[in-house]
Amino acid sequence: MSTKQAFQSRSVQPIPAELDSPRAKLVYLQLSVTGETSIDDLQSALDMQKITLFGILNTLTTHGFAEKHGDTVAPA
């Protein structure tokens, strides 16, 4: 399956109203589109510093919007 087909077959969930931060919304949307991914891939795709991503991912996992799986993170 090509990358284009994988993206087309995924349904993107609406952004939760509880997410106020534009960056948190962006990370959530990226996870919704790509599925399980590494921090390095998120960093490259979103052009964010890892320290920023770690804070956002902590918020997303605390609120049940994402799950950590070792070195990767996935939408919940």
Side-chain angles (χ1 to χ4, degrees), residues 46-60:
L46 301 175
D47 193 29
M48 284 187 189
Q49 295 181 354
K50 281 187 182 179
I51 192 73
T52 302
L53 281 171
F54 284 125
I56 292 168
L57 291 171
N58 185 51
T59 299
L60 292 177

Side-chain angles (χ1 to χ4, degrees), residues 30-63:
Q30 182 70 20
L31 286 174
S32 295
V33 171
T34 60
E36 189 166 350
T37 189
S38 70
I39 300 294
D40 289 333
D41 288 343
L42 279 175
Q43 180 186 20
S44 295
L46 301 175
D47 193 29
M48 284 187 189
Q49 295 181 354
K50 281 187 182 179
I51 192 73
T52 302
L53 281 171
F54 284 125
I56 292 168
L57 291 171
N58 185 51
T59 299
L60 292 177
T61 56
T62 299
H63 288 77

Side-chain angles (χ1 to χ4, degrees), residues 6-32:
F7 284 135
Q8 289 175 342
S9 68
R10 257 188 217 287
S11 64
V12 177
Q13 300 298 317
I15 297 173
E18 297 89 354
L19 296 179
D20 295 325
S21 162
R23 287 183 175 181
K25 291 176 182 180
L26 183 61
V27 172
Y28 177 85
L29 183 60
Q30 182 70 20
L31 286 174
S32 295

